[in-house]
Amino acid sequence: SHCILVYRLDGKFVSSIGSEGSGELQFNFPWGLSTDEYNNDIYICDRNNHRIQIISENLQFKSQFGKDTLHYPRDIKHYKDNIFILDESNPCFHIYNRDLVLQQSVVTRGEGQQVRDPWFF
């Protein structure tokens, strides 16, 4: 359905955001998401648009990034001051800082590597 469904903790449906496409709040196979504990922004892997979309806790579009470095982002996690993004087709994970600057890319598959075909963190 190329959208994000929002539910309360008790399972009651709250709302749906987004639609199929490549614009703001449009998605092409959204996958993993993570919440920034500092400002409650929600980071969504927009897999086939090759980017991460950031929306506010009020479900408004804020920003996007990764179009130049991400192939098929599958999962995302915040840890301390870093953002880890699992990229399915590279295959690697990328580490961004809080300013959304790429710090490092780590290959996850190949000769001698311990992780093979990671899907989720």
Side-chain angles (χ1 to χ4, degrees):
S1 66
H2 305 286
C3 66
I4 306 298
L5 303 176
V6 181
Y7 291 86
R8 293 188 336 201
L9 290 176
D10 64 5
K12 183 174 181 181
F13 177 76
V14 175
S15 68
S16 172
I17 59 165
S19 60
E20 185 174 4
S22 60
E24 296 177 359
L25 293 179
Q26 292 185 321
F27 301 97
N28 191 350
F29 289 99
W31 279 72
L33 60 85
S34 182
T35 303
D36 185 333
E37 66 183 41
Y38 296 108
N39 58 19
N40 293 325
D41 286 345
I42 303 164
Y43 289 58
I44 302 168
C45 294
D46 190 1
R47 184 178 178 273
N48 287 4
N49 282 326
H50 317 287
R51 64 183 176 180
I52 304 297
Q53 288 200 58
I54 304 171
I55 61 174
S56 70
E57 64 182 323
N58 298 323
L59 308 180
Q60 301 298 312
F61 177 83
K62 288 186 80 173
S63 183
Q64 66 181 359
F65 71 98
K67 201 84 164 132
D68 297 330
T69 55
L70 299 174
H71 290 239
Y72 293 96
R74 179 175 289 278
D75 201 11
I76 184 169
K77 293 294 180 250
H78 285 78
Y79 181 71
K80 297 186 179 181
D81 288 330
N82 292 308
I83 303 165
F84 294 82
I85 301 170
L86 187 61
D87 200 346
E88 177 185 346
S89 73
N90 276 343
C92 68
F93 65 89
H94 305 284
I95 304 170
Y96 286 80
N97 65 17
R98 291 188 54 69
D99 296 322
L100 307 181
V101 175
L102 180 63
Q103 301 299 298
Q104 183 178 7
S105 294
V106 178
V107 175
T108 57
R109 181 174 51 183
E111 189 69 32
Q113 298 294 326
Q114 293 182 340
V115 179
R116 182 181 165 100
D117 297 326
W119 289 76
F120 302 100
F121 284 117

Short mmCIF file of all heavy atoms in Angstrom, two decimals, residues 21-24 26-28 44-54 61 63-73 76 85 87 89-90 94 96 100-102:
data_model
loop_
_atom_site.label_atom_id
_atom_site.label_comp_id
_atom_site.label_asym_id
_atom_site.label_seq_id
_atom_site.Cartn_x
_atom_site.Cartn_y
_atom_site.Cartn_z
N GLY A 21 4.60 6.86 -4.70
CA GLY A 21 5.22 7.88 -5.51
C GLY A 21 6.63 8.18 -5.04
O GLY A 21 7.20 7.45 -4.23
N SER A 22 7.17 9.31 -5.51
CA SER A 22 8.54 9.66 -5.17
C SER A 22 8.68 11.06 -4.59
O SER A 22 9.78 11.55 -4.41
CB SER A 22 9.45 9.54 -6.40
OG SER A 22 8.99 10.39 -7.43
N GLY A 23 7.58 11.71 -4.28
CA GLY A 23 7.62 13.04 -3.70
C GLY A 23 7.66 12.99 -2.18
O GLY A 23 7.86 11.94 -1.57
N GLU A 24 7.47 14.14 -1.56
CA GLU A 24 7.42 14.21 -0.10
C GLU A 24 6.21 13.41 0.42
O GLU A 24 5.11 13.53 -0.13
CB GLU A 24 7.31 15.66 0.37
CG GLU A 24 8.53 16.48 0.02
CD GLU A 24 8.39 17.94 0.42
OE1 GLU A 24 7.33 18.35 0.95
OE2 GLU A 24 9.35 18.69 0.17
N GLN A 26 5.59 10.47 -0.05
CA GLN A 26 5.23 9.41 -0.97
C GLN A 26 6.31 8.34 -0.85
O GLN A 26 7.49 8.66 -0.65
CB GLN A 26 5.15 9.92 -2.40
CG GLN A 26 3.98 10.85 -2.61
CD GLN A 26 3.85 11.24 -4.07
OE1 GLN A 26 4.83 11.46 -4.76
NE2 GLN A 26 2.61 11.31 -4.53
N PHE A 27 5.90 7.08 -0.95
CA PHE A 27 6.81 5.98 -0.70
C PHE A 27 6.73 4.95 -1.81
O PHE A 27 5.71 4.83 -2.49
CB PHE A 27 6.46 5.30 0.63
CG PHE A 27 6.51 6.21 1.81
CD1 PHE A 27 5.35 6.80 2.29
CD2 PHE A 27 7.70 6.50 2.44
CE1 PHE A 27 5.37 7.66 3.37
CE2 PHE A 27 7.75 7.36 3.53
CZ PHE A 27 6.59 7.93 3.99
N ASN A 28 7.83 4.22 -1.98
CA ASN A 28 7.89 3.10 -2.89
C ASN A 28 8.50 1.95 -2.10
O ASN A 28 9.71 1.82 -2.02
CB ASN A 28 8.70 3.45 -4.13
CG ASN A 28 8.57 2.41 -5.21
OD1 ASN A 28 8.04 1.34 -5.00
ND2 ASN A 28 9.09 2.73 -6.39
N ILE A 44 12.19 6.96 8.05
CA ILE A 44 11.58 5.84 7.33
C ILE A 44 12.43 5.46 6.13
O ILE A 44 12.77 6.31 5.29
CB ILE A 44 10.16 6.22 6.86
CG1 ILE A 44 9.29 6.62 8.04
CG2 ILE A 44 9.53 5.07 6.07
CD1 ILE A 44 8.00 7.28 7.67
N CYS A 45 12.77 4.17 6.03
CA CYS A 45 13.47 3.66 4.85
C CYS A 45 12.48 3.61 3.69
O CYS A 45 11.54 2.82 3.71
CB CYS A 45 14.01 2.26 5.11
SG CYS A 45 15.30 2.16 6.34
N ASP A 46 12.69 4.45 2.71
CA ASP A 46 11.87 4.47 1.50
C ASP A 46 12.63 3.66 0.44
O ASP A 46 13.34 4.21 -0.40
CB ASP A 46 11.66 5.93 1.08
CG ASP A 46 10.63 6.08 -0.01
OD1 ASP A 46 10.05 5.07 -0.46
OD2 ASP A 46 10.42 7.24 -0.43
N ARG A 47 12.49 2.34 0.54
CA ARG A 47 13.38 1.39 -0.11
C ARG A 47 13.59 1.63 -1.60
O ARG A 47 14.70 1.82 -2.06
CB ARG A 47 12.85 -0.03 0.12
CG ARG A 47 13.75 -1.11 -0.43
CD ARG A 47 13.17 -2.49 -0.11
NE ARG A 47 14.00 -3.52 -0.67
CZ ARG A 47 13.86 -3.98 -1.91
NH1 ARG A 47 12.92 -3.48 -2.69
NH2 ARG A 47 14.66 -4.92 -2.35
N ASN A 48 12.55 1.61 -2.40
CA ASN A 48 12.72 1.71 -3.85
C ASN A 48 12.85 3.14 -4.36
O ASN A 48 13.04 3.35 -5.55
CB ASN A 48 11.60 0.97 -4.58
CG ASN A 48 11.75 -0.53 -4.48
OD1 ASN A 48 12.64 -1.03 -3.80
ND2 ASN A 48 10.87 -1.27 -5.13
N ASN A 49 12.75 4.12 -3.47
CA ASN A 49 13.10 5.50 -3.82
C ASN A 49 14.52 5.81 -3.38
O ASN A 49 14.98 6.95 -3.53
CB ASN A 49 12.12 6.50 -3.20
CG ASN A 49 10.82 6.56 -3.98
OD1 ASN A 49 10.80 6.42 -5.19
ND2 ASN A 49 9.71 6.77 -3.27
N HIS A 50 15.21 4.84 -2.77
CA HIS A 50 16.63 4.93 -2.43
C HIS A 50 16.94 6.11 -1.52
O HIS A 50 17.89 6.85 -1.73
CB HIS A 50 17.48 5.03 -3.71
CG HIS A 50 17.02 4.08 -4.78
ND1 HIS A 50 17.22 2.72 -4.70
CD2 HIS A 50 16.33 4.30 -5.93
CE1 HIS A 50 16.70 2.15 -5.77
NE2 HIS A 50 16.14 3.07 -6.53
N ARG A 51 16.14 6.25 -0.46
CA ARG A 51 16.32 7.39 0.43
C ARG A 51 15.73 7.09 1.80
O ARG A 51 15.02 6.10 1.99
CB ARG A 51 15.64 8.63 -0.14
CG ARG A 51 14.12 8.45 -0.22
CD ARG A 51 13.42 9.62 -0.84
NE ARG A 51 11.99 9.34 -0.98
CZ ARG A 51 11.13 10.17 -1.50
NH1 ARG A 51 11.52 11.35 -1.94
NH2 ARG A 51 9.85 9.85 -1.58
N ILE A 52 15.99 7.99 2.72
CA ILE A 52 15.36 8.01 4.03
C ILE A 52 14.52 9.27 4.10
O ILE A 52 15.01 10.37 3.80
CB ILE A 52 16.42 8.04 5.17
CG1 ILE A 52 17.39 6.86 5.06
CG2 ILE A 52 15.73 8.08 6.53
CD1 ILE A 52 16.77 5.50 5.21
N GLN A 53 13.26 9.14 4.48
CA GLN A 53 12.41 10.31 4.70
C GLN A 53 12.30 10.55 6.21
O GLN A 53 12.17 9.59 6.98
CB GLN A 53 11.02 10.12 4.11
CG GLN A 53 11.03 10.16 2.59
CD GLN A 53 9.66 10.45 2.05
OE1 GLN A 53 9.05 11.47 2.36
NE2 GLN A 53 9.16 9.54 1.22
N ILE A 54 12.34 11.80 6.59
CA ILE A 54 12.20 12.17 8.00
C ILE A 54 10.89 12.92 8.15
O ILE A 54 10.62 13.88 7.43
CB ILE A 54 13.37 13.06 8.45
CG1 ILE A 54 14.70 12.36 8.19
CG2 ILE A 54 13.21 13.42 9.93
CD1 ILE A 54 15.91 13.26 8.41
N PHE A 61 6.13 16.12 6.81
CA PHE A 61 7.43 15.93 6.17
C PHE A 61 8.42 16.97 6.68
O PHE A 61 8.10 18.15 6.79
CB PHE A 61 7.29 16.06 4.64
CG PHE A 61 8.60 15.96 3.92
CD1 PHE A 61 9.13 14.71 3.62
CD2 PHE A 61 9.30 17.09 3.55
CE1 PHE A 61 10.35 14.61 2.95
CE2 PHE A 61 10.51 16.99 2.89
CZ PHE A 61 11.03 15.74 2.59
N SER A 63 12.33 16.27 6.00
CA SER A 63 13.54 16.22 5.19
C SER A 63 13.70 14.83 4.59
O SER A 63 12.94 13.91 4.89
CB SER A 63 14.75 16.56 6.07
OG SER A 63 15.93 16.59 5.32
N GLN A 64 14.72 14.69 3.76
CA GLN A 64 15.10 13.39 3.22
C GLN A 64 16.60 13.38 2.99
O GLN A 64 17.21 14.44 2.87
CB GLN A 64 14.35 13.08 1.93
CG GLN A 64 14.72 14.00 0.79
CD GLN A 64 13.95 13.67 -0.47
OE1 GLN A 64 13.15 12.75 -0.52
NE2 GLN A 64 14.20 14.42 -1.52
N PHE A 65 17.19 12.20 2.95
CA PHE A 65 18.62 12.10 2.66
C PHE A 65 18.95 10.70 2.15
O PHE A 65 18.12 9.80 2.21
CB PHE A 65 19.47 12.45 3.89
CG PHE A 65 19.45 11.42 4.99
CD1 PHE A 65 20.46 10.48 5.11
CD2 PHE A 65 18.41 11.39 5.92
CE1 PHE A 65 20.45 9.54 6.13
CE2 PHE A 65 18.39 10.45 6.94
CZ PHE A 65 19.41 9.52 7.04
N GLY A 66 20.16 10.56 1.63
CA GLY A 66 20.66 9.26 1.20
C GLY A 66 20.53 8.96 -0.27
O GLY A 66 20.99 7.93 -0.74
N LYS A 67 19.90 9.83 -1.04
CA LYS A 67 19.65 9.57 -2.45
C LYS A 67 20.94 9.25 -3.21
O LYS A 67 20.94 8.46 -4.13
CB LYS A 67 18.95 10.79 -3.05
CG LYS A 67 18.20 10.52 -4.31
CD LYS A 67 16.83 9.99 -4.01
CE LYS A 67 15.98 10.09 -5.25
NZ LYS A 67 15.26 8.89 -5.55
N ASP A 68 22.07 9.85 -2.81
CA ASP A 68 23.34 9.64 -3.51
C ASP A 68 24.13 8.43 -3.01
O ASP A 68 25.06 7.99 -3.67
CB ASP A 68 24.22 10.89 -3.40
CG ASP A 68 23.60 12.09 -4.07
OD1 ASP A 68 22.85 11.91 -5.05
OD2 ASP A 68 23.84 13.22 -3.61
N THR A 69 23.78 7.90 -1.83
CA THR A 69 24.57 6.82 -1.25
C THR A 69 23.79 5.53 -1.02
O THR A 69 24.39 4.46 -0.96
CB THR A 69 25.18 7.24 0.10
OG1 THR A 69 24.14 7.69 0.96
CG2 THR A 69 26.20 8.33 -0.09
N LEU A 70 22.49 5.60 -0.88
CA LEU A 70 21.71 4.41 -0.56
C LEU A 70 21.17 3.75 -1.83
O LEU A 70 20.71 4.44 -2.74
CB LEU A 70 20.54 4.78 0.36
CG LEU A 70 20.92 5.37 1.70
CD1 LEU A 70 19.68 5.83 2.46
CD2 LEU A 70 21.72 4.38 2.52
N HIS A 71 21.23 2.43 -1.86
CA HIS A 71 20.66 1.69 -2.99
C HIS A 71 19.24 1.24 -2.63
O HIS A 71 18.29 1.70 -3.24
CB HIS A 71 21.55 0.49 -3.34
CG HIS A 71 22.86 0.90 -3.93
ND1 HIS A 71 23.26 0.50 -5.16
CD2 HIS A 71 23.85 1.70 -3.46
CE1 HIS A 71 24.44 1.03 -5.44
NE2 HIS A 71 24.81 1.75 -4.43
N TYR A 72 19.13 0.34 -1.66
CA TYR A 72 17.83 -0.15 -1.20
C TYR A 72 17.84 -0.21 0.33
O TYR A 72 18.03 -1.28 0.90
CB TYR A 72 17.51 -1.52 -1.80
CG TYR A 72 17.30 -1.48 -3.28
CD1 TYR A 72 18.33 -1.78 -4.16
CD2 TYR A 72 16.07 -1.10 -3.80
CE1 TYR A 72 18.15 -1.70 -5.53
CE2 TYR A 72 15.87 -1.03 -5.17
CZ TYR A 72 16.92 -1.33 -6.03
OH TYR A 72 16.73 -1.25 -7.38
N PRO A 73 17.63 0.93 1.00
CA PRO A 73 17.66 0.91 2.46
C PRO A 73 16.53 0.03 3.02
O PRO A 73 15.39 0.15 2.61
CB PRO A 73 17.46 2.37 2.84
CG PRO A 73 16.76 2.98 1.67
CD PRO A 73 17.25 2.23 0.47
N ILE A 76 16.75 0.74 9.70
CA ILE A 76 17.43 1.90 10.26
C ILE A 76 17.30 1.87 11.77
O ILE A 76 16.25 1.49 12.30
CB ILE A 76 16.84 3.21 9.66
CG1 ILE A 76 17.59 4.44 10.16
CG2 ILE A 76 15.35 3.31 9.94
CD1 ILE A 76 17.23 5.71 9.39
N ILE A 85 22.12 2.49 8.93
CA ILE A 85 21.18 2.14 7.86
C ILE A 85 21.69 0.90 7.14
O ILE A 85 22.80 0.89 6.61
CB ILE A 85 21.02 3.30 6.87
CG1 ILE A 85 20.52 4.55 7.60
CG2 ILE A 85 20.06 2.90 5.74
CD1 ILE A 85 20.56 5.80 6.76
N ASP A 87 21.71 -1.38 4.05
CA ASP A 87 21.46 -1.21 2.62
C ASP A 87 21.51 -2.59 1.96
O ASP A 87 22.56 -3.23 1.92
CB ASP A 87 22.50 -0.28 2.03
CG ASP A 87 22.07 0.34 0.73
OD1 ASP A 87 21.09 -0.15 0.13
OD2 ASP A 87 22.73 1.30 0.30
N SER A 89 21.22 -3.95 -1.19
CA SER A 89 21.89 -4.39 -2.41
C SER A 89 23.38 -4.09 -2.44
O SER A 89 24.08 -4.61 -3.29
CB SER A 89 21.22 -3.79 -3.64
OG SER A 89 21.52 -2.42 -3.73
N ASN A 90 23.88 -3.25 -1.55
CA ASN A 90 25.31 -2.94 -1.59
C ASN A 90 26.22 -4.13 -1.33
O ASN A 90 27.19 -4.25 -2.06
CB ASN A 90 25.64 -1.79 -0.64
CG ASN A 90 25.38 -0.46 -1.30
OD1 ASN A 90 25.28 -0.36 -2.50
ND2 ASN A 90 25.29 0.58 -0.51
N HIS A 94 25.50 1.68 6.53
CA HIS A 94 26.08 3.01 6.54
C HIS A 94 25.88 3.61 7.92
O HIS A 94 24.85 3.40 8.55
CB HIS A 94 25.41 3.92 5.51
CG HIS A 94 25.42 3.37 4.12
ND1 HIS A 94 26.54 3.38 3.33
CD2 HIS A 94 24.46 2.78 3.38
CE1 HIS A 94 26.27 2.84 2.15
NE2 HIS A 94 25.01 2.47 2.17
N TYR A 96 25.70 7.24 9.73
CA TYR A 96 25.59 8.69 9.59
C TYR A 96 25.64 9.31 10.98
O TYR A 96 25.23 8.69 11.96
CB TYR A 96 24.25 9.07 8.95
CG TYR A 96 24.14 8.79 7.48
CD1 TYR A 96 23.86 7.52 7.01
CD2 TYR A 96 24.31 9.80 6.55
CE1 TYR A 96 23.75 7.24 5.66
CE2 TYR A 96 24.20 9.55 5.19
CZ TYR A 96 23.92 8.27 4.76
OH TYR A 96 23.81 8.02 3.42
N LEU A 100 23.45 14.11 9.62
CA LEU A 100 23.15 13.36 8.40
C LEU A 100 24.33 13.32 7.43
O LEU A 100 24.16 13.25 6.22
CB LEU A 100 21.90 13.90 7.71
CG LEU A 100 20.66 13.99 8.59
CD1 LEU A 100 19.48 14.52 7.80
CD2 LEU A 100 20.33 12.66 9.23
N VAL A 101 25.53 13.37 7.99
CA VAL A 101 26.75 13.26 7.21
C VAL A 101 27.24 11.82 7.31
O VAL A 101 27.39 11.28 8.41
CB VAL A 101 27.84 14.23 7.72
CG1 VAL A 101 29.15 14.03 6.97
CG2 VAL A 101 27.35 15.68 7.59
N LEU A 102 27.49 11.20 6.15
CA LEU A 102 27.98 9.83 6.12
C LEU A 102 29.35 9.75 6.77
O LEU A 102 30.27 10.46 6.38
CB LEU A 102 28.04 9.31 4.69
CG LEU A 102 28.54 7.88 4.48
CD1 LEU A 102 27.60 6.89 5.15
CD2 LEU A 102 28.68 7.59 3.00
#
